[in-house]
Amino acid sequence: MVALEQPRIGRRSTLFAGVAVGAVPGLVGAGIGRELPALLKGRGSITGARTGEVSTGSAVVWARAGQQGRLMLRLESNGRRLRSVRGPWTDARSDYTARLQLTGLTPGRQYDATVWFTGPGGSGGDSPPERLTFRTAPLHAAAQSFVWSGDTCGQGWGINPELGGLTAYRAMLDTRPDFFVHCGDTIYGDEPMEETVVEDDGHVWRNELTDAVTHVAETLADFRGRHRYTLADDHVRALYAEVPTIAMWDDHETANNWYPGELTDDDRYTERRCDVLAARGRRAWQEFQPVPLDRLVAETGDGFAGLRIYRKVARGQHLDVFCLDMRSYRGANSGADDTGILGPVQEAWLVESLTASTATWKVVCADLPLSIPSTHADDLDGPCNGDDGRPIGREPEIARVLSALKRHGVRNVVWLTADVHYTAAHHYAPERAAFTDFDPFWEFVSGPIASETFPAKDDELDGTFGPEVAFSQGNASGGRESPRAGHQFFGHARVAATGELTVTLHDGTGAALWSKVLEPQERRRPRPV
């Protein structure tokens, strides 16, 4: 039997409600519907649906209505209906988005969810329900896989119908992953699009436009419009119908390279306070991403997380996923000592959580790579500073984390990221480093998934932690390079039932470019303090 937990009634309980679903044995998935209403045309009463944060026993189901209404959900498997759930009411206060958090699910099972909205008085909408599928993580040793990338619709390159839209999302779907990690820059609120752009080679890029993408995002409505734009793409919606998301944020969900307390000098903005822009951008991000709000710290009291977006998603015996927030707690991008990028609380959480993890692989998903320097010397956005010597600036935080992992005997930690708009595999080792108190590890970089491609910076890596380039591919043309060139990238990671981790870097067509099999190492005894 499926038991439902009634949500507490409060100001926002009509917008977000938690539902506990009792474990049901023997669930096997049925079919999947892929057709969603076209958001750019504003058709239908449901304008998007997806799942996210799927762990061994829980999942978030998200949907957006075209008008006020109540989210409804039917959970089933193998043709067997488990329960119909009457969810939260949504209206303009959340831009018609709503979600349900399902808990108590059976590990390693495939579920199918049908979602729709009813109007006032229980009337149905004017579009068919959307069908979603997801598989909970296996509790014990079993194979699973995921993809990751970042950087969607940046540098003015949006949805080009002549090229089929955001086709790299379809390529990710074709690898049949269990989930997708979007490592940040889910939108580009600071980079407007034009109807046509003449590329360096003379081709004409044609963007499909909405008003929200033609100017910088400043208001809450602007940021919401940016998120709605991406959901208009057929390939994005197809991926979301079948693949749950773990979403992160970085700078472009607000403005380029922003930091707390900054006053932007960009004349395009009327609102110059980045803290104000970030609060609006963060709220829109949380409204449109399938994030379980009850896992985050609500500091404003209105149901939205004020700051905390870092978290762990448990994926069973072989895998824990740790999502960082390298944006909310940083100091100024000045390169000064003790500026930080994680903040002391998140730094402590990361060490404690990695140390406590019993999963074979601990995958750390970061907003930014550890050793690829920032483009502008006077705007040091990343963890490193381009100085190959001892850790300074933001590097001491990373050094303390790496040293603590060695001290506690934590093995099998892999770092994943996007952000720099090219793909690479970096191996870090103390014998090549200025700072030596850490165990060797891998960092894999992959992106963009739908943006401009930048040149690889193989010769510019900061040597503090001893990175070595095993592979890289980026823009070698020397000019601007749109997605037309084919240099879009994503990574695929597969954990075998026996524990091996295979990481493969793909281009936007799905072609494999480079692959590495990592064998798990046994945990060492902690080093005496």
Side-chain angles (χ1 to χ4, degrees):
M1 172 177 279
V2 179
L4 299 184
E5 179 182 282
Q6 295 299 322
R8 292 177 295 176
I9 301 300
R11 190 175 76 84
R12 300 202 59 86
S13 63
T14 57
L15 302 180
F16 300 100
V19 177
V21 179
V24 180
L27 300 186
V28 181
I32 303 153
R34 293 193 180 187
E35 293 187 2
L36 295 176
L39 302 188
L40 293 176
K41 307 302 181 183
R43 194 170 65 237
S45 63
I46 182 169
T47 62
R50 60 195 297 200
T51 62
E53 304 279 325
V54 176
S55 67
T56 53
S58 64
V60 173
V61 178
W62 175 96
R64 182 178 185 272
Q67 57 198 15
Q68 64 179 354
R70 185 174 298 281
L71 176 62
M72 306 294 292
L73 178 142
R74 183 171 63 246
L75 193 66
E76 57 186 9
S77 177
N78 199 27
R80 177 189 174 194
R81 182 176 300 182
L82 304 179
R83 186 64 184 261
S84 293
V85 179
R86 184 172 180 265
W89 181 267
T90 186
D91 55 32
R93 290 175 295 169
S94 63
D95 200 31
Y96 307 104
T97 63
R99 72 199 68 206
L100 288 164
Q101 184 165 348
L102 309 180
T103 60
L105 302 176
T106 301
R109 302 292 185 182
Q110 186 165 313
Y111 292 85
D112 294 292
T114 303
V115 297
W116 69 97
F117 286 91
T118 60
S123 60
D126 58 356
S127 66
E130 305 301 334
R131 292 181 61 81
L132 307 171
T133 190
F134 62 91
R135 178 179 290 275
T136 51
L139 188 61
H140 302 297
Q144 60 178 301
S145 68
F146 66 94
V147 291
W148 86 92
S149 190
D151 318 308
T152 299
C153 293
Q155 293 72 54
W157 312 113
I159 299 171
N160 185 339
E162 293 183 350
L163 298 180
L166 309 184
T167 56
Y169 273 83
R170 177 72 65 170
M172 289 195 294
L173 173 59
D174 289 343
T175 68
R176 315 314 303 178
D178 290 295
F179 62 97
F180 164 48
V181 181
H182 198 304
C183 287
D185 294 340
T186 55
I187 62 167
Y188 278 74
D190 59 319
E191 295 185 358
M193 300 178 195
E194 298 178 354
E195 185 175 0
T196 59
V197 181
V198 179
E199 303 173 52
D200 284 359
D201 62 3
H203 282 98
V204 177
W205 181 276
R206 302 186 188 280
N207 285 314
E208 192 147 356
L209 298 178
T210 64
D211 178 68
V213 302
T214 60
H215 53 85
V216 296
E218 294 190 75
T219 68
L220 179 58
D222 292 339
F223 288 109
R224 286 167 167 172
R226 285 278 179 164
H227 287 282
R228 290 198 302 270
Y229 178 82
T230 304
L231 286 171
D233 182 77
D234 290 338
H235 306 295
V236 171
R237 296 197 306 268
L239 177 77
Y240 289 164
E242 300 188 38
V243 181
T245 304
I246 298 175
M248 299 169 59
W249 85 327
D250 192 22
D251 55 336
H252 291 287
E253 284 83 358
T254 300
N256 185 50
N257 291 1
W258 76 275
Y259 57 84
E262 181 183 9
L263 298 177
T264 180
D265 59 2
D266 189 333
D267 290 337
R268 298 176 301 170
Y269 287 88
T270 301
E271 175 55 72
R272 299 299 184 101
R273 296 168 296 175
C274 285
D275 288 355
V276 173
L277 296 172
R280 295 167 182 169
R282 180 167 52 238
R283 174 166 174 173
W285 178 88
Q286 291 185 173
E287 286 175 335
F288 278 83
Q289 303 299 329
V291 180
L293 297 184
D294 65 328
R295 292 187 188 178
L296 307 179
V297 177
E299 298 182 358
T300 60
D302 66 354
F304 290 90
L307 291 176
R308 181 176 173 179
I309 294 175
Y310 61 84
R311 61 206 185 275
K312 176 188 122 176
V313 180
R315 294 287 307 179
Q317 178 176 327
H318 281 324
L319 180 62
D320 277 341
V321 178
F322 301 84
C323 295
L324 301 185
D325 178 358
M326 290 179 159
R327 191 58 51 185
S328 302
Y329 306 98
R330 63 170 56 215
N333 295 347
S334 62
D337 287 343
D338 301 323
T339 52
I341 198 166
L342 299 176
V345 176
Q346 184 177 195
E347 178 190 333
W349 167 85
L350 180 59
V351 171
E352 292 168 3
S353 299
L354 288 170
T355 302
S357 173
T358 60
T360 304
W361 293 99
K362 299 112 177 121
V363 173
V364 179
C365 298
D367 307 13
L368 297 154
L370 298 180
S371 297
I372 299 176
S374 301
T375 303
H376 306 290
D378 59 346
D379 188 9
L380 297 177
D381 191 58
C384 70
N385 51 26
D387 185 328
D388 294 338
R390 65 178 180 84
I392 56 175
R394 293 188 171 118
E395 293 170 333
E397 278 186 333
I398 305 301
R400 289 193 296 268
V401 169
L402 297 178
S403 179
L405 298 181
K406 178 180 179 180
R407 184 170 64 252
H408 294 300
V410 180
R411 297 292 191 93
N412 308 324
V413 178
V414 173
W415 294 67
L416 303 181
T417 189
D419 182 75
V420 291
H421 296 236
Y422 71 90
T423 190
H426 300 150
H427 184 258
Y428 291 79
E431 59 266 24
R432 297 189 295 265
F435 176 81
T436 61
D437 189 22
F438 68 96
D439 289 324
F441 66 95
W442 283 90
E443 174 189 63
F444 300 103
V445 184
S446 211
I449 197 62
S451 293
E452 189 162 321
T453 308
F454 297 163
K457 296 185 176 181
D458 296 351
D459 297 330
E460 302 176 35
L461 297 187
D462 188 309
T464 297
F465 301 114
E468 181 178 73
V469 179
F471 173 83
S472 72
Q473 187 175 119
N475 173 7
S477 70
R480 292 193 68 191
E481 189 173 274
S482 81
R484 189 194 303 271
H487 295 148
Q488 305 294 280
F489 304 106
F490 67 91
H492 181 278
R494 179 174 179 80
V495 184
T498 49
E500 298 86 0
L501 175 64
T502 302
V503 178
T504 305
L505 303 179
H506 294 260
D507 69 16
T509 70
L513 305 174
W514 182 89
S515 190
K516 178 72 175 180
V517 179
L518 303 179
E519 299 284 344
Q521 297 178 298
E522 292 186 4
R523 185 161 184 157
R524 294 186 319 191
R525 290 186 176 182
R527 188 175 64 191
V529 178

